[in-house]
Amino acid sequence: MVRRSGVLLKKVAAGISSRLAEILVCPLTKQPLRMCDKTNSLISDSIGVSYPIVDGIPRLVPSDGIILHSDQDLNSSDPPQTNSS
Amino acid sequence: MATTLQFALPSIAGRRRRPDSRSINRPVRCAADRQALFNRIAPVYDNLNDLFSLGRHRVWKRMTVSWSGVKEGDTVLDVCCGSGDLAFLLSEKVGITGKLRFEGVIAMKFDQTDSYLTEALCLELVEFWQDLRVIALDFSREQLQIAASRQSERSKACYKNIEWIEGDAVELPFSKSSFDAATIGYGLRNIVDRRKAMEEMYKVLKPGSKVSILDFNKSTSSLNSSIQDWMIDYIVVPIASGYGLANEYHYLKNSIKEYLTGNELEKLAGEVGFSEAKFYEIGAGFMGNLVATR
């Protein structure tokens, strides 16, 4: 008997897959990005820029990046995701 | 982005744009101009490709995919994906796999009467991890929206393994050595800094992997060039004018003239670092495909 965890499946579908989040890097620094579930964006901590995800499509053209002006902006996002594979 | 630009179709809503005489001869030089151009033609792009190539672009794209060396299980990249033609073909080749993670309890029971061991499983699906297979990138938001719509309309499971990314071919947002194969369909000609794009492609490919690049052929044959020019001037642009997209298709002719010949493309690939590069003329010499090995 298998029951599906609806909450978890919904979580995976909301943003982008964790596997995709692993392969993506900041287009400017080529450093890893951090997925932020609260803002549904990818954070480049090295330069303090947030790249939005809209309708499941990450916007990673450099000009799409939004500068995070304060430590609060940076800290308001989720802590770094660990690899759950 | 798959910028075949073989035909200019009028806007899908039937609205007519009055030609801007100030911009008829304005070159589409910068990346922003080209991005805007492909956003404008996005609604009619697929139909135009079919109409002007009489469906042949589908054959050429299959050849491009074949030349990329893609095989089942690979992780592949399509740059300048446009509305997704090459991405869909790539996804059919790589297939779909995934992992399910369960947590639960296994309860075991003995049926003493018949000495049978019975067991009951109670499992809860806690994670579905779909393997990444095809990443498709373009800088046109409108083209990507069309690609995503086409994906949702299609029923084959393998099409679900495509991820769409809005990005710039000269600033690829991928780790080094990430991909087993790559393609670009009618995109390299439209990139302002082609050397940078080739350098980015080189970095994200795994050693030994190939990039397969399809585009119009800037022919060294004066006959071929003349025929190409004639078709654009007397078929493409007049039809485009009827749709208010004449300027967009004037761009096509200039972009071919400013593109690189097959030999020049092979030379560029070698300068960037590819170990091998071979250019194939196809489509009666009007199209060409560069295959470069990392």
Side-chain angles (χ1 to χ4, degrees):
Chain A
M1 177 175 63
V2 175
R3 293 196 302 253
R4 290 187 177 182
S5 176
V7 172
L8 285 163
L9 289 174
K10 184 179 175 183
K11 179 180 177 183
V12 168
I16 59 172
S17 69
S18 53
R19 177 71 181 95
L20 178 60
E22 281 185 356
I23 204 172
L24 295 176
V25 298
C26 174
L28 294 171
T29 66
K30 309 301 186 189
Q31 297 299 307
L33 294 166
R34 173 167 57 84
M35 179 69 202
C36 172
D37 289 337
K38 282 184 191 173
T39 57
N40 198 33
S41 60
L42 292 159
I43 310 293
S44 176
D45 285 316
S46 57
I47 54 173
V49 167
S50 163
Y51 296 98
I53 300 170
V54 180
D55 296 329
I57 299 178
R59 292 183 175 174
L60 289 165
V61 176
S63 58
D64 289 331
I66 300 165
I67 297 174
L68 300 171
H69 288 289
S70 65
D71 289 340
Q72 188 178 0
D73 285 338
L74 277 167
N75 294 332
S76 65
S77 50
D78 290 342
Q81 300 289 320
T82 55
N83 186 352
S84 59
S85 62
Chain B
M1 105 185 48
T3 55
T4 307
L5 291 185
Q6 292 162 323
F7 297 93
L9 286 181
S11 73
I12 51 168
R15 62 185 158 83
R16 303 259 170 163
R17 284 170 41 195
R18 184 175 297 196
D20 182 351
S21 59
R22 294 170 300 170
S23 63
I24 281 177
N25 295 316
R26 176 172 169 266
V28 185
R29 292 288 183 196
C30 70
D33 283 345
R34 296 178 189 197
Q35 183 182 35
L37 184 152
F38 287 107
N39 281 336
R40 285 196 299 276
I41 68 170
V44 295
Y45 182 68
D46 290 337
N47 290 341
L48 285 174
N49 289 346
D50 277 335
L51 177 61
F52 289 98
S53 71
L54 301 177
R56 293 294 294 175
H57 73 101
R58 298 172 191 277
V59 173
W60 302 326
K61 285 166 182 167
R62 288 189 180 277
M63 295 169 75
T64 298
V65 167
S66 179
W67 265 313
S68 73
V70 63
K71 55 191 183 303
E72 188 176 350
D74 279 352
T75 301
V76 299
L77 173 66
D78 181 39
V79 180
C80 304
C81 66
S83 55
D85 279 355
L86 281 171
F88 291 122
L89 291 174
L90 288 166
S91 71
E92 291 172 0
K93 289 281 193 181
V94 300
I96 184 169
T97 58
K99 298 182 185 63
L100 301 174
R101 184 164 71 89
F102 294 90
E103 287 181 358
V105 173
I106 299 177
M108 300 176 71
K109 176 183 174 183
F110 283 95
D111 181 332
Q112 293 182 342
T113 304
D114 295 331
S115 299
Y116 285 126
L117 173 64
T118 62
E119 57 187 47
L121 302 176
C122 179
L123 300 174
E124 182 172 5
L125 173 63
V126 295
E127 186 177 15
F128 171 58
W129 179 316
Q130 181 173 320
D131 280 352
L132 188 62
R133 287 288 175 248
V134 181
I135 296 185
L137 176 140
D138 202 285
F139 73 174
S140 167
R141 200 164 290 172
E142 279 70 15
Q143 294 273 2
L144 287 171
Q145 284 171 356
I146 290 172
S149 294
R150 293 173 77 195
Q151 181 186 36
S152 63
E153 289 165 7
R154 296 185 174 204
S155 57
K156 272 192 187 177
C158 62
Y159 296 144
K160 304 303 177 193
N161 67 5
I162 305 171
E163 296 280 0
W164 310 103
I165 307 288
E166 187 177 319
D168 194 333
V170 298
E171 301 282 1
L172 289 179
F174 308 116
S175 308
K176 285 184 182 179
S177 303
S178 294
F179 298 102
D180 300 294
T183 54
I184 312 177
Y186 299 103
L188 189 63
R189 174 176 41 87
N190 301 295
I191 297 172
V192 175
D193 191 344
R194 294 185 199 107
R195 176 177 293 269
K196 184 76 166 30
M198 291 292 286
E199 288 171 350
E200 289 287 283
M201 295 295 317
Y202 180 87
K203 287 177 197 170
V204 302
L205 278 170
K206 294 177 182 175
S209 297
K210 295 177 186 173
V211 58
S212 181
I213 302 173
L214 171 67
D215 219 310
F216 280 92
N217 179 27
K218 182 182 175 182
S219 179
T220 52
S221 156
S222 56
L223 176 62
N224 266 17
S225 296
S226 299
I227 294 173
Q228 255 182 359
D229 287 350
W230 185 91
M231 288 175 68
I232 294 170
D233 287 339
Y234 292 99
I235 298 176
V236 174
V237 173
I239 295 176
S241 299
Y243 289 88
L245 290 171
N247 291 343
E248 284 78 357
Y249 285 84
H250 273 297
Y251 161 75
L252 174 61
K253 185 176 171 182
N254 291 335
S255 72
I256 296 172
K257 289 194 184 311
E258 292 174 7
Y259 194 37
L260 302 175
T261 64
N263 285 341
E264 289 168 340
L265 285 167
E266 287 177 347
K267 181 166 179 281
L268 175 61
E271 288 170 358
V272 163
F274 287 94
S275 61
E276 288 180 48
K278 179 70 179 165
F279 183 80
Y280 301 94
E281 290 192 356
I282 58 176
F286 294 113
M287 302 294 156
N289 199 102
L290 176 73
V291 183
T293 306
R294 164 96 154 79

